[in-house]
Amino acid sequence: MGLTVVVAGLLCVLLSLSRAGAWDFQPCAPWCPPNSECVNATACRCKPGFASSSVEVFTNVLDTCHDINECLLPRKVSCGYFADCHNVQGSYYCTCSPGFELRSGAKKFTNASENTCQDMDECSSGQHKCHRSTTCTNTWGSYLCQCRPGWEPIPGSVNGFYNKFCKVMPFFTWPLPPGVHSQSLSHFFDKVNNLHRDLKSAMAKDTIQGIMQEVDELLETPGDLETLPPSQKHCVATHVLTGLESALRHLSRGLPEGTATFNYSAGTQLSIEVQKRRDGNVTLSLNQAKMQLNWNLAQESAHRGPSVVGLVSTPGMGKLLAEAPLVLEPEKQVAPHGTHKDSLLTVSPVLLSEVISVFLSRKDTQNLSSPVTFTFSHNVSMGPKREVLCVFWDHGQNGCGHWATAGCKTLGTRDGSTTCHCTRLSSHAILMASYNVQDDDPVLSLITCVGLGVSLLCLVLAALTFLLCRAIQNTSTSLHLQLSLCLLLAHLLFLTAIDRTQPKVLCAVTAGALHYLYLASFTWMLLEGLFLFLTARNLTVLSSSSRNRLMRRLMFPVGYGVPAAIVAVSAVARPHLYGTSTRCWLCPEQGFVWGFLGPVCAISCVNMVFFLMTLCIVKSKLSSINRDVSTLQNTRVLTFKAMAHLFILGCTWCLGVLQVGSLAPVMAYLFTIINSLQGVFIFLVYCLLSQQVQEQYRTWLKRIRKWTTESESYTLSSKAVSDTSRPSTTD
């Protein structure tokens, strides 16, 4: 019974499955074309991405299914900005336009909502096709291939958008320096220019080696360059150094990344490093020099290619730079360690190291944001009268150049090497400066202090005499008074502040004040000479009132105005030359001291002319009988006084100029003695030797004695009265 039930159940299931299959079975049309699927026994439908020429479901056996181009209207799909649509059989896909890429890094997407296309930097990613003689510059959606700085397109070459070929521009095409005639230099220029004619980018390294070889041979055997005068040698050196730096800067851009070093028979060396943009420091080393700088200094802001740092050592360049002048910045006018503050730098320092030249990718290297460190090796030991200076070769306005220290600082010398910091780059070297030490003479210092002290006292007495003595109040006395006051202030300032060089601003003010006061003294001396001449002429031509009226008009505008104008012009033109490292006086550089010596020499010459003319007039009057004897006597006295005054001032400064050679010590003593006693001579000539002043002194002495006697009598009488009025006491 149980078995019967199971069999019956199985038969029911099988019967059900048989009916379901019968119901689902539909016959398929065998004629459906490719890329389609059947709907039933009589109809077909195209697959997605295809369409028939009639209706969606077709029954015509002649209908076909063709591909739908989704990238064209009317069924064009949107891929979004900076993207392109690509049709395929039965479908499509989107890609970013050339020069753009998906942010995710994928290659395809299907619609605008998936679009993240952004500009592709072909230059930094290395996907550009620029030739190595050009540089790649990224643009929006593309890039440009441009010739490197200092390079130019090759004539006749294919010069398309991405296949431009360039060559380096001529580097030694300028003529010889003006006035220089040298066959050796002409041959050198010709050989270097021949290297340039067939230059290709792949030959940049060979061309650099060729140029360096020619420079090495020129410096090893300079030929007729050795017969040129030093100034022309300096011009040649400037031209060669400038051209070499420019050529190496341009050629090295065509080198592959990395470091290269070249050595030549005469000792010339070249070290180059080419790298892409990076941070940190770069160090280049040669046999006798080493340089360290930050990569940021070498990189140009607008240049996207590799950066170049190069260092060249040219030992033979010292032959052309012998006897080259040195220009020190004001801060360098300091005596070396261990020497006296009055040390003077010799004119021609000695070249202590090899000459090295620096070139970078960037051209502007005159004011760097951070210093470059140089280390020079040398075998010369330092002494107490020597100092090492870090210098660079300044091409100058005339193109011949000179050594300079501005922008370079000597950090120190140790174990045969000197370290420098420079904020400008050119050709650099180490110079050894020798100093002539001038020690203070204690005798001269004593004479100066004592003499000026006595002179100041005499000038004070003279000024008081001219002010208080009414008997001598006239135009001549006014001249003497102003001269005495100027010398008094000048000597006082000289004695108290001439050595106070700190702070520098105060030292410069002191130097300007001394400049003005001493010029004013000489100007008043000029007025003394003029007044003397007019006094002599008064005997025959002018009246006394006319002479005095003329002098009163000229005195103060000339006496104080002319020196003020000279000092003002000097201060405006070169204010930094007031004050030195050892004295608060005028710097001798650039002829600045002639702002004082020029007027002094001119005034001395004019006064000498006035003096000689006065002597001639007085002599002619003395040789004839003159009824006005007193006038002649006064004239002779004035002539003697003017002669003494002119001699004192004139000889003082002439002796100062003559302090050179073997007679310098003698002239220094004479200068110190006479100059320190100027006030004594003025007081002697114009006060003690004046009869009117002597009478006034006697009058003042009598009053002083009378006042002293009366004071003593009053004191004695007061004491007597006090003793009388005191009560007596008895035991």
Side-chain angles (χ1 to χ4, degrees):
M1 184 67 181
L3 181 62
T4 304
V5 174
V6 173
V7 171
L10 291 174
L11 290 175
C12 291
V13 171
L14 292 174
L15 182 61
S16 300
L17 293 174
S18 175
R19 290 177 179 177
W23 292 340
D24 291 338
F25 176 74
Q26 299 271 343
C28 184
W31 50 266
C32 289
N35 301 320
S36 67
E37 57 185 10
C38 66
V39 176
N40 51 40
T42 60
C44 299
R45 178 189 298 113
C46 292
K47 293 180 180 180
F50 297 89
S52 68
S53 56
S54 57
V55 294
E56 180 179 357
V57 177
F58 55 90
T59 58
N60 190 347
V61 295
L62 298 179
D63 283 343
T64 60
C65 291
H66 59 273
D67 176 57
I68 300 174
N69 191 342
E70 292 87 352
C71 298
L72 298 177
L73 294 175
R75 300 187 179 184
K76 182 178 181 180
V77 297
S78 174
C79 290
Y81 293 105
F82 312 119
D84 300 322
C85 178
H86 301 273
N87 183 64
V88 294
Q89 282 291 99
S91 184
Y92 73 96
Y93 64 90
C94 299
T95 62
C96 294
S97 301
F100 297 87
E101 61 183 354
L102 287 172
R103 189 176 306 159
S104 62
K107 300 298 183 181
K108 301 178 181 179
F109 58 97
T110 58
N111 53 61
S113 62
E114 300 176 0
N115 185 341
T116 59
C117 293
Q118 61 184 4
D119 177 56
M120 176 192 303
D121 191 345
E122 298 88 350
C123 299
S124 60
S125 62
Q127 300 182 28
H128 63 86
K129 299 179 181 180
C130 292
H131 190 259
R132 57 185 295 181
S133 64
T134 64
T135 58
C136 176
T137 303
N138 186 61
T139 60
W140 182 253
S142 184
Y143 61 94
L144 296 176
C145 300
Q146 298 174 319
C147 289
R148 298 175 182 272
W151 293 58
E152 60 185 1
I154 297 177
S157 64
V158 179
N159 195 18
F161 190 72
Y162 296 130
N163 54 359
K164 180 183 292 185
F165 297 93
C166 303
K167 65 177 182 178
V168 69
M169 298 174 64
F171 26 80
F172 284 109
T173 57
W174 55 78
L176 293 175
V180 176
H181 303 283
S182 170
Q183 292 184 355
S184 299
L185 194 61
S186 298
H187 293 161
F188 168 73
F189 284 153
D190 292 339
K191 292 179 181 178
V192 173
N193 284 325
N194 289 334
L195 294 173
H196 165 266
R197 291 174 183 172
D198 299 327
L199 175 66
K200 297 179 181 179
S201 176
M203 298 175 57
K205 181 177 180 180
D206 296 335
T207 306
I208 289 175
Q209 289 181 319
I211 293 176
M212 295 302 300
Q213 182 64 41
E214 297 298 336
V215 172
D216 186 71
E217 293 178 0
L218 176 69
L219 297 179
E220 185 178 16
T221 56
D224 57 358
L225 288 177
E226 293 182 330
T227 63
L228 297 176
S231 59
Q232 292 189 3
K233 289 182 181 179
H234 304 159
C235 294
V236 172
T238 301
H239 276 63
V240 172
L241 289 173
T242 304
L244 181 62
E245 293 172 15
S246 177
L248 294 177
R249 178 186 300 111
H250 295 155
L251 287 169
S252 58
R253 298 177 187 271
L255 295 176
E257 294 185 16
T259 303
T261 302
F262 309 94
N263 297 280
Y264 302 92
S265 59
T268 303
Q269 290 182 289
L270 169 63
S271 180
I272 302 177
E273 184 164 349
V274 182
Q275 295 290 346
K276 288 185 177 180
R277 289 177 172 267
R278 71 173 194 180
D279 298 326
N281 295 330
V282 57
T283 301
L284 296 182
S285 299
L286 301 175
N287 289 342
Q288 301 295 324
K290 183 173 68 174
M291 177 185 69
Q292 184 181 56
L293 56 80
N294 191 286
W295 265 112
N296 293 328
L297 299 179
Q299 297 169 354
E300 292 181 291
S301 58
H303 179 59
R304 300 297 299 271
S307 298
V308 177
V309 177
L311 186 64
V312 184
S313 175
T314 51
M317 193 63 67
K319 301 176 183 178
L320 299 179
L321 297 178
E323 302 180 19
L326 169 64
V327 177
L328 295 174
E329 57 182 335
E331 289 75 8
K332 294 286 186 181
Q333 301 289 346
V334 181
H337 300 293
T339 63
H340 191 266
K341 63 182 179 180
D342 289 335
S343 299
L344 301 177
L345 180 64
T346 55
V347 178
S348 299
V350 179
L351 185 61
L352 196 61
S353 69
E354 298 178 356
V355 178
I356 63 170
S357 301
V358 184
F359 60 91
L360 307 178
S361 303
R362 59 184 293 180
K363 291 183 179 180
D364 182 17
T365 58
Q366 299 302 306
N367 189 16
L368 302 178
S369 58
S370 61
V372 178
T373 302
F374 294 97
T375 302
F376 295 88
S377 299
H378 51 79
N379 298 322
V380 179
S381 59
M382 302 308 301
K385 298 182 181 180
R386 296 176 179 177
E387 184 183 17
V388 168
L389 297 175
C390 295
V391 297
F392 73 96
W393 186 252
D394 190 344
H395 300 163
Q397 297 180 351
N398 59 356
C400 291
H402 59 267
W403 292 116
T405 59
C408 287
K409 179 181 179 182
T410 305
L411 298 184
T413 299
R414 182 180 180 183
D415 298 333
S417 65
T418 298
T419 304
C420 310
H421 271 177
C422 292
T423 55
R424 58 184 302 168
L425 297 180
S426 178
S427 296
H428 299 261
I430 292 293
L431 299 184
M432 182 179 66
S434 299
Y435 288 82
N436 295 325
V437 179
Q438 299 177 344
D439 295 325
D440 278 341
D441 189 339
V443 177
L444 283 178
S445 300
L446 180 61
I447 292 175
T448 301
C449 294
V450 174
L452 287 181
V454 175
S455 184
L456 288 174
L457 177 61
C458 292
L459 286 172
V460 171
L461 295 176
L464 292 175
T465 300
F466 298 145
L467 285 172
L468 301 178
C469 187
R470 296 182 179 179
I472 60 172
Q473 295 292 331
N474 52 35
T475 304
S476 178
T477 305
S478 298
L479 293 173
H480 303 334
L481 175 61
Q482 302 305 319
L483 177 59
S484 299
L485 291 176
C486 290
L487 284 177
L488 173 64
L489 295 176
H491 289 342
L492 182 61
L493 188 60
F494 180 90
L495 191 61
T496 58
I498 188 66
D499 293 328
R500 299 180 181 273
T501 58
Q502 296 295 333
K504 293 182 179 180
V505 175
L506 182 59
C507 181
V509 173
T510 301
L514 286 173
H515 187 196
Y516 175 75
L517 290 173
Y518 280 118
L519 278 181
S521 300
F522 271 90
T523 306
W524 285 108
M525 186 58 198
L526 174 64
L527 294 175
E528 288 269 9
L530 176 61
F531 184 79
L532 175 66
F533 172 69
L534 294 179
T535 301
R537 287 198 62 192
N538 179 48
L539 300 174
T540 56
V541 182
L542 294 175
S543 65
S544 177
S545 60
S546 300
R547 176 197 63 194
N548 293 334
R549 187 165 53 251
L550 177 63
M551 290 306 301
R552 282 195 297 269
R553 292 177 179 176
L554 292 176
M555 275 187 1
F556 291 100
V558 174
Y560 291 112
V562 172
I566 295 175
V567 174
V569 172
S570 300
V572 171
R574 294 183 177 90
H576 60 282
L577 294 182
Y578 273 109
T580 68
S581 60
T582 57
R583 294 286 186 270
C584 295
W585 185 236
L586 281 65
C587 290
E589 286 78 17
Q590 304 179 24
F592 187 68
V593 73
W594 283 100
F596 174 74
L597 294 180
V600 167
C601 293
I603 290 173
S604 299
C605 292
V606 173
N607 268 351
M608 183 60 69
V609 173
F610 283 150
F611 174 70
L612 294 177
M613 293 174 65
T614 301
L615 286 182
C616 292
I617 294 174
V618 172
K619 181 179 178 181
S620 63
K621 288 300 176 181
L622 289 176
S623 62
S624 62
I625 299 175
N626 194 305
R627 290 171 295 180
D628 193 356
V629 180
S630 62
T631 303
L632 286 176
Q633 290 175 345
N634 291 335
T635 303
R636 286 196 298 271
V637 173
L638 289 174
T639 302
F640 169 74
K641 294 179 179 180
M643 180 173 57
H645 209 62
L646 178 63
F647 175 78
I648 294 169
L649 292 179
C651 286
T652 298
W653 298 99
C654 289
L655 292 174
V657 175
L658 295 176
Q659 292 185 39
V660 293
S662 59
L663 294 178
V666 178
M667 294 300 175
Y669 273 93
L670 292 176
F671 175 84
T672 303
I673 293 172
I674 297 176
N675 185 51
S676 62
L677 295 177
Q678 285 180 344
V680 176
F681 280 100
I682 291 175
F683 181 65
L684 175 65
V685 173
Y686 290 105
C687 296
L688 295 183
L689 297 182
S690 172
Q691 185 176 359
Q692 292 176 313
V693 175
Q694 291 176 6
E695 294 177 356
Q696 185 65 49
Y697 283 166
R698 295 190 188 98
T699 302
W700 287 344
L701 288 175
K702 291 179 180 179
R703 292 178 180 176
I704 293 174
R705 290 175 181 173
K706 182 179 179 182
W707 178 80
T708 304
T709 304
E710 292 177 352
S711 178
E712 292 177 353
S713 300
Y714 177 77
T715 303
L716 291 174
S717 62
S718 299
K719 184 177 181 180
V721 172
S722 176
D723 292 341
T724 304
S725 60
R726 182 182 302 170
S728 60
T729 60
T730 59
D731 296 335

